Amino acid sequence: MNRMLGYLKGYERESVLAPLFKMLEATFDLFVPLVMADIVNVGIAAHDLHYILVRCGLLLLLAFIGLTCSLTAQYFSAKAAVGYSTALRHALFAHIQSLSFSEMDTLGTSTLITRMTSDVNQVQSGLNLFLRLFLRSPFVVLGAMVMAFTVNARAAMIFVVTIPLLSVVVFGVMVITRPLYKTVQTRLDRVLGLTRENLTGARVVRAFDKEQTEVNRFEDANALLTKMQLHVGHISALMNPLTYVIINLAIVALLYVGSVQIHVGDMASGDVIALVNYMNQILVELVKLANLIVQVSKALACAGRVQAVLDTKPGMQFPQEVPGEVPAEKQNDAVRFDHVGLTYAGAGAPSLTDISFTAEKGQTIGVIGGTGSGKSSLVSLIPRFYDATEGSVEIFGHPVQNYPREELRGKVSVVMQKAQLFGGTIRSNLLWGNQNASDADLWAALETAQAAEFVHSKPLGLDEPVEQGGRNLSGGQKQRLTIARALVSKPEILILDDSASALDYATDAALRKALAALPGSMTVFIVSQRAASLQHADQILVLDDGHLVGLGTHAELLASCPVYEEIYASQFKKGDARQ
C-alpha cells in the first residue's frame, strides 16, 4: 500500500488542505450548540430580543464560514482523488503493457479490465471521502465530548460511555466487511468474464442455439454476486440502526440527568439543549463515519487487487544495449532453435519438446502439423512473446534475450492467427508498422499483401474508416490488412501464423509469390494447415504433439515423414486434384 500512496505525488498540498479545511469547518460547528445555549439561557430567559438577534446573526456567520470551508475542502479532496486515480490508472495500464503473455494468461483479461475500471473508481471514491471525513468525524466526536465537559462534567460522563460503544459497532462492522468486499469483486470478475465471452462469441452461441444455456450460466454467476452483495449489505446495514439506538438511549440518559440537574439548580435548560445538540452532532458524524468506513472498506479491498497486479513482476527483462558482433559461423543464420522446450505457466505438460533447426537468411520456412501440435507456440518464441523453458532461441547469431525490446520487435514482424484491427482508418492501422512510412510505402505493402485492389475500391482509399476490431471488413480483408501492416515495418523476419486461412487458394498463391519477389533477404515463417501453401518452402517443419517429427523440403518429407505424408494425402488425391 505504501507504493500506491506514491501516486499522490503532486497532490500533497491538496491532500493536506482538504482535511484541514474540514477540521476548520468542524471547529465552527462545535461552537453552534454553545451559541444556542446562550440564546436560551440569556436571551430568552431575560426576554432580550437584541441579544437573541445578535446571537442569531452569529449563527448565520458560523454557517457561512462553515459552508465556505466545506466547499473549499470538497474542491481540494476531489482534485487530489481524481489526480491520484488518473496517475494510478496510467501506471496500471503501463504495467500491464510491460507484462509478458505468460502473466497476461495467468491474470486473465476480464479481471484486468475490472481492476482498470471498477476497482480504480472505488479507490478514487474512497480516497475522496477519506480526505474529507477521516479527520473531521473523529474530531467532531472527540470535540463534542470535550465541549460537553465544559457545559456540565457530570452529564458529559454519558459521552464517555457512549462513544466507545459506538466505536465498537463502527469498527466491528469494518473488520467483518472488508474481506467480504474482496469476494464481491472476485465474483464481479466472473460476471464480467462471462459477459465478455458471450459478447465476443455471440455468433457461435446463436449458431449452436445455446442462448438459454448461456443465460443460465450468467444467471448463476450473477446470483452468486448478488447473494454476496446482499450479505455484505445486510452486515453494513446494521451499522445505522445500532448507532441510532445507542445515540437515542444516550439522549434519553442526557434528558434524565439534565432534568435532575435543572431541578436542583446545577444546570440551565439551555445547557441541556447544548448537550443534546452535541449528541446529535456525534450521531450525524458517526453516520458519516459509518458510510466512510463502508466505502473505505471497498476501496481498500479494491486497492489490494490493484496492488496485486502492480506487484506482478514481468517475467521478461530486456537489456538496453544491442548485442555485439556475430560469430563467423553464424553470419548466415536468421533463426536457430537449439533443443528448445516450452511449458506454459500452470500447464501439466510441455507444449514443445526438444526442437532444433536453423533457418538461414532469405529462406522461407513452413510450419505444419495437426491442431494443438505447437505451431503457434514455436513461432511465438522468435519475437519472444514467451521465453523457452529449455534450450535456447537465437536470431541473427544472438540469443533473443540479448536484444532490447525495440530492437527485437523491429527485426521481427508477426501476423497473428486472429486478425486484429483497431478503430481508426486503414492508414492509421498500417502506420502501426512504421509511423514514418510514406503513402508509397503503404501502397507497396498493400500490393504485396494482395490488398491494394479492395483498398482502391473504397471511396476514401487509405482514409477509409475502420471500426473497432475491423467489424466493417470481411475476414479476408482483415487478414490482408494485417499482413500489409507487418510488411510496412520492413522486417528482417516475417511470421505469418496461419494468417492466410481466410484467403482463397489463388490469393494465397499470389501472396506467397509476392513475398518471394521482395528485395532483400527477409526470412519468412509460414504457419499453415494447407500443404499447398508450404510445398515450395525451403524447409518445412512438421510438428506432432510438440515434437519435431519432420524437417526438410516437400519432396524429402513425402518420402521420409509419415505425419507429413498423411497430412498431404488428406488434402490431395492422386494427380494433385483437390478433394
Side-chain angles (χ1 to χ4, degrees):
M1 289 300 175
N2 290 335
R3 179 183 168 190
M4 292 191 69
L5 290 177
Y7 300 109
L8 268 175
K9 186 177 181 180
Y11 297 94
E12 295 90 345
R13 183 171 62 94
E14 288 82 357
S15 301
V16 173
L17 289 176
L20 285 181
F21 272 99
K22 270 295 179 181
M23 290 177 66
L24 188 59
E25 175 202 0
T27 302
F28 289 111
D29 287 348
L30 288 173
F31 286 115
V32 170
L34 296 180
V35 177
M36 289 294 298
D38 278 349
I39 292 174
V40 173
N41 292 338
V42 179
I44 295 177
H47 302 286
D48 188 344
L49 182 59
H50 179 265
Y51 187 87
I52 295 173
L53 291 176
V54 170
R55 285 296 183 268
C56 286
L58 180 58
L59 287 176
L60 290 175
L61 179 62
L62 290 174
F64 176 77
I65 296 173
L67 176 62
T68 303
C69 293
S70 178
L71 292 175
T72 305
Q74 176 64 52
Y75 169 77
F76 285 126
S77 63
K79 185 177 179 181
V82 172
Y84 172 84
S85 65
T86 300
L88 178 60
R89 196 177 286 111
H90 284 169
L92 183 59
F93 187 78
H95 184 74
I96 290 172
Q97 292 298 318
S98 73
L99 299 177
S100 70
F101 282 19
S102 294
E103 287 85 43
M104 298 282 281
D105 294 341
T106 302
L107 292 169
T109 304
S110 59
T111 187
L112 289 176
I113 293 173
T114 304
R115 296 182 198 203
M116 276 285 297
T117 54
S118 174
D119 286 352
V120 173
N121 287 340
Q122 290 282 10
V123 172
Q124 176 183 321
S125 299
L127 178 62
N128 194 349
L129 280 176
F130 182 76
L131 290 176
R132 287 190 288 124
L133 298 178
F134 85 105
L135 285 181
R136 175 195 160 87
S137 293
F139 180 79
V140 170
V141 171
L142 295 176
M145 184 175 69
V146 171
M147 298 299 283
F149 272 98
T150 65
V151 175
N152 186 283
R154 182 176 297 179
M157 294 304 296
I158 297 171
F159 287 76
V160 176
V161 176
T162 304
I163 291 174
L165 288 176
L166 290 171
S167 300
V168 169
V169 172
V170 170
F171 289 101
V173 170
M174 182 184 72
V175 169
I176 294 171
T177 55
R178 182 181 174 184
L180 297 179
Y181 281 118
K182 291 185 179 180
T183 306
V184 168
Q185 291 299 113
T186 302
R187 293 187 178 177
L188 179 61
D189 285 347
R190 173 64 177 162
V191 171
L192 182 63
L194 285 174
T195 304
R196 181 177 178 273
E197 187 177 50
N198 275 272
L199 291 177
T200 55
R203 296 184 179 184
V204 178
V205 171
R206 293 177 184 180
F208 286 88
D209 192 28
K210 289 291 184 179
E211 290 92 338
Q212 192 56 49
T213 302
E214 293 303 308
V215 167
N216 293 339
R217 284 179 67 206
F218 180 84
E219 287 181 349
D220 290 342
N222 198 33
L224 287 173
L225 173 62
T226 304
K227 182 180 178 181
M228 180 54 68
Q229 285 178 321
L230 289 174
H231 178 54
V232 180
H234 290 154
I235 296 174
S236 299
L238 289 173
M239 192 178 298
N240 282 355
L242 287 176
T243 53
Y244 272 102
V245 166
I246 295 171
I247 286 290
N248 284 310
L249 289 175
I251 290 175
V252 170
L254 273 178
L255 293 175
Y256 174 77
V257 171
S259 64
V260 173
Q261 294 288 311
I262 292 172
H263 183 70
V264 298
D266 289 342
M267 185 186 295
S269 56
D271 295 339
V272 176
I273 294 174
L275 290 173
V276 172
N277 277 340
Y278 281 128
M279 189 62 75
N280 284 327
Q281 281 189 347
I282 291 174
L283 172 61
V284 170
E285 291 305 320
L286 283 173
V287 170
K288 290 181 182 178
L289 187 60
N291 292 329
L292 169 66
I293 288 171
V294 170
Q295 188 62 46
V296 167
S297 296
K298 291 181 182 179
L300 288 174
C302 293
R305 287 160 47 84
V306 173
Q307 184 66 56
V309 177
L310 293 172
D311 286 340
T312 302
K313 302 295 182 184
M316 297 180 181
Q317 299 297 325
F318 290 85
Q320 298 299 317
E321 297 182 359
V322 178
E325 292 294 325
V326 179
E329 67 275 12
K330 297 181 180 180
Q331 288 286 342
N332 203 39
D333 289 357
V335 176
R336 180 190 291 267
F337 275 54
D338 186 15
H339 300 288
V340 169
L342 173 64
T343 303
Y344 290 110
S351 297
L352 296 174
T353 304
D354 197 28
I355 305 293
S356 296
F357 71 90
T358 300
E360 296 181 355
K361 295 177 181 178
Q363 283 190 331
T364 297
I365 309 297
V367 184
I368 196 169
T371 302
S373 59
K375 302 185 296 297
S376 295
S377 298
L378 184 145
V379 295
S380 68
L381 296 175
I382 299 172
R384 206 185 171 198
F385 293 153
Y386 296 92
D387 271 336
T389 50
E390 296 178 7
S392 66
V393 178
E394 296 180 359
I395 68 169
F396 303 112
H398 296 287
V400 290
Q401 291 86 352
N402 292 357
Y403 285 92
R405 186 196 304 270
E406 296 78 9
E407 180 78 11
L408 178 61
R409 302 288 158 77
K411 290 180 178 292
V412 184
S413 280
V414 184
V415 184
M416 303 286 191
Q417 278 181 308
K418 182 180 178 182
Q420 180 64 56
L421 296 173
F422 298 87
T425 63
I426 292 176
R427 184 194 304 276
S428 68
N429 274 276
L430 294 180
L431 288 176
W432 274 59
N434 179 5
Q435 289 294 322
N436 300 318
S438 65
D439 280 10
D441 294 330
L442 301 184
W443 283 114
L446 289 169
E447 289 284 355
T448 303
Q450 310 304 303
E453 183 180 350
F454 89 79
V455 175
H456 273 302
S457 68
K458 298 291 183 182
L460 299 177
L462 289 173
D463 296 312
E464 184 71 16
V466 175
E467 294 183 11
Q468 183 182 13
R471 291 191 302 264
N472 56 333
L473 300 171
S474 69
Q477 289 173 337
K478 287 192 288 186
Q479 284 193 336
R480 282 178 282 171
L481 285 180
T482 55
I483 294 170
R485 179 175 60 194
L487 291 170
V488 167
S489 64
K490 297 180 180 179
E492 298 177 53
I493 298 173
L494 175 65
I495 299 173
L496 305 178
D497 186 3
D498 205 13
S499 53
S501 57
L503 304 184
D504 58 75
Y505 286 98
T507 305
D508 185 19
L511 170 64
R512 287 185 280 109
K513 184 178 179 181
L515 288 174
L518 287 175
S521 56
M522 182 173 66
T523 304
V524 181
F525 281 79
I526 301 176
V527 178
S528 179
Q529 301 282 3
R530 300 173 180 173
S533 298
L534 307 178
Q535 59 185 348
H536 300 296
D538 298 298
Q539 291 188 79
I540 300 174
L541 311 178
V542 185
L543 296 178
D544 184 35
D545 194 25
H547 293 80
L548 183 63
V549 296
L551 173 61
T553 64
H554 170 70
E556 291 170 346
L557 292 171
L558 278 180
S560 63
C561 181
V563 174
Y564 184 78
E565 186 179 2
E566 180 182 351
I567 293 172
Y568 184 81
S570 70
Q571 298 177 14
F572 291 87
K573 290 182 179 180
K574 289 183 179 180
D576 290 347
R578 292 278 168 217
Q579 285 186 338

